[in-house]
Structures are given as C-alpha cells and as structure tokens.
Amino acid sequence: TRRSSDLNDIEHLVAVVQTTSEDKNATYPLTPADYLDLKHHNESFESIAAYQYKRHVLTRLESPVSIMGAAVSPEFFHLFTASPQIGYAFADSDSGNVNDLVVSDMFWRDHLHSEPAMGYTIELDSRSYRIVGVMPKNFNFPVGTDVWTLLKFYRKAANDHVSHDIQVIGKLRRGNTVAHSNAELETIAHRLAMDSPDTNKDGELRAIPLRELITGRMTGQYVLFLLAGVLFVLIMACSNV
C-alpha cells in the first residue's frame, strides 16, 4: 500500500540548524561536512536527511520556464514515510542515478498533462533527467517544490566546513525527545569545534520540532532562515529573465 505522509511521524521529526554562541536566535543551514559528521556519529536520530533549494529552468521549450526544485539525500522520502503515487522515489542508498527525477503532482498535471510519466525524459538547465516517480498531491515539502533531484555527497564534501547550504531533517528515535537530541547535538558541536576550530569554534547545533515549521509556530529568525533560501531562488529566476 502506498502512503503519502504519515502525520503521526511529524511529532518525531525535527529540523537541525546551526546557531552561534554569540547569537543563539540566529539559525543557519549546516555545512556538508557537519551534516555528514552528524549523520554518522549521532545516536538520537533514527534517520537523517538533507536537502538544498534548487532553481531550475525547464528547457527544450519555446519559452524556458523557471521552476522550483530541491536536491534531496536518498533517505528524504523514507524519512517522511512518503511514497510516490506513481513509480518510485530514491532508494535509501548512495547508489541512485543523479539523472533520476521525482516530480510533484502539480508538475505532472501542468507540464505532462497527466500522461504516463515513467521513463519520460525532460530537460532541466539543458541537462536530461528521467522521471521515475510522481508524488501525491498532498506531499509538498519543501513548500512549493516542483521537482526533486538526488543530492549526492562526494569526497570533498567531508572537508567542507564553509558552505552553509545543507538543510537537515532528522527523525527522533522512539522514546527520544527534542531536549535529549539537543544535549547530544551540543556534544557533537563541541567536538566539531575542537576538530575544526577555524570554522566551527563558535558554532552550535540545535533541533527544532518540524511541526512548528509546518504549522507556523516558529521564531521569526527561523522564518527568515527558510525564506532566505526561497528568496535566493527568486532572485536567480529574475536574473535569468
């Protein structure tokens, strides 16, 4: 049986952000190296996924169209207990094809006119992608996403403590709390600061319940954190036009 999103699991999902010792209210995405370290050395989370906002141009058309995308790690859809209504999503491993594409229900209806989509090839940014799945109408994360591509981390990512562009979602292990995860995140951040003092000496990690993001019960700083990614996409789209 295919399921879209198990709302019961929302209580176990958190966004993991970076703050600083000087301003604990300001929040930032993680770096690739910090995300990979957290993924492999935590005990609080059953699963961790990453995503990046992406702006794409749908090419091979008379008038190229700018669309909203997200590059997501292989665990992303499974973490949300989300399955496509048609086809399949990315497997929980790094063996996926970077040219595979999962599309939203709206994209499928607007651009493919609800025609059979599996194996259909489209062109984004003059690069060919093969559609492997169509998400249900009620799956919309990050909000407004038209297409999802596969986010893969290559060898150099393990040493990148500078590029703060990785949004992180974690699923708490059963029985764990946000407070428990924050205690562990404090320990992990301290170790990262010791290992990479040039980039991490003032960095701290914090978990924020994902339900607060979805329902709007969140701090103004976190709203700005989310909107910054969307604003960047819009600026790039306007620049392209």
Side-chain angles (χ1 to χ4, degrees):
T1 302
R2 296 190 182 279
R3 295 185 294 173
S4 56
S5 182
D6 188 344
L7 294 180
N8 293 324
D9 279 348
I10 292 295
E11 299 297 340
H12 301 284
L13 298 180
V14 298
V16 180
V17 299
Q18 186 177 70
T19 66
T20 66
S21 56
E22 296 180 353
D23 188 355
K24 296 182 182 296
N25 290 320
T27 58
Y28 309 93
L30 273 60
T31 65
D34 293 350
Y35 161 70
L36 292 173
D37 187 280
L38 174 63
K39 179 180 178 181
H40 293 118
H41 297 102
N42 83 89
E43 297 182 356
S44 296
F45 302 104
E46 175 184 320
S47 180
I48 291 180
Y51 67 95
Q52 291 177 320
Y53 292 103
K54 294 285 185 180
R55 193 269 309 176
H56 295 290
V57 176
L58 186 59
T59 48
R60 203 185 290 174
L61 298 173
E62 290 184 5
S63 299
V65 177
S66 181
I67 62 173
M68 182 70 173
V72 302
S73 64
E75 310 86 357
F76 180 82
F77 294 108
H78 180 73
L79 183 143
F80 283 96
T81 323
S83 298
Q85 60 178 319
I86 303 173
Y88 59 90
F90 308 126
D92 288 354
S93 70
D94 292 327
S95 60
N97 191 326
V98 294
N99 291 325
D100 285 350
L101 188 73
V102 177
V103 302
S104 69
D105 179 82
M106 182 175 293
F107 181 93
W108 177 52
R109 296 179 186 280
D110 290 350
H111 295 284
L112 302 179
H113 310 294
S114 302
E115 294 292 334
M118 297 311 93
Y120 189 90
T121 299
I122 65 172
E123 197 172 86
L124 301 179
D125 311 319
S126 299
R127 178 177 175 178
S128 293
Y129 288 86
R130 179 174 64 99
I131 297 175
V132 297
V134 178
M135 294 306 293
K137 186 176 182 178
N138 62 346
F139 185 84
N140 187 25
F141 192 90
V143 176
T145 300
D146 295 302
V147 299
W148 293 267
T149 54
L150 183 61
L151 175 61
K152 301 192 78 168
F153 293 92
Y154 298 97
R155 185 172 301 176
K156 66 179 182 179
N159 298 313
D160 185 353
H161 291 276
V162 177
S163 306
H164 288 269
D165 57 2
I166 303 298
Q167 321 278 359
V168 178
I169 303 292
K171 176 180 285 188
L172 295 171
R173 293 188 185 278
R174 299 290 175 174
N176 278 359
T177 64
V178 174
H180 180 273
S181 68
N182 276 326
E184 184 183 41
L185 289 173
E186 182 178 350
T187 300
I188 292 174
H190 178 71
R191 178 174 52 76
L192 287 170
M194 297 291 289
D195 293 342
S196 305
D198 291 342
T199 54
N200 290 69
K201 68 176 181 178
D202 296 320
E204 298 182 2
L205 299 174
R206 180 158 58 99
I208 300 174
L210 190 63
R211 180 174 289 280
E212 295 183 9
L213 184 159
I214 294 174
T215 61
R217 299 196 304 272
M218 64 183 88
T219 65
Q221 286 285 354
Y222 194 55
V223 172
L224 293 177
F225 156 64
L226 292 172
L227 290 180
V230 177
L231 180 60
F232 172 77
V233 171
L234 291 176
I235 290 175
M236 292 298 293
C238 291
S239 174
N240 179 70
V241 172

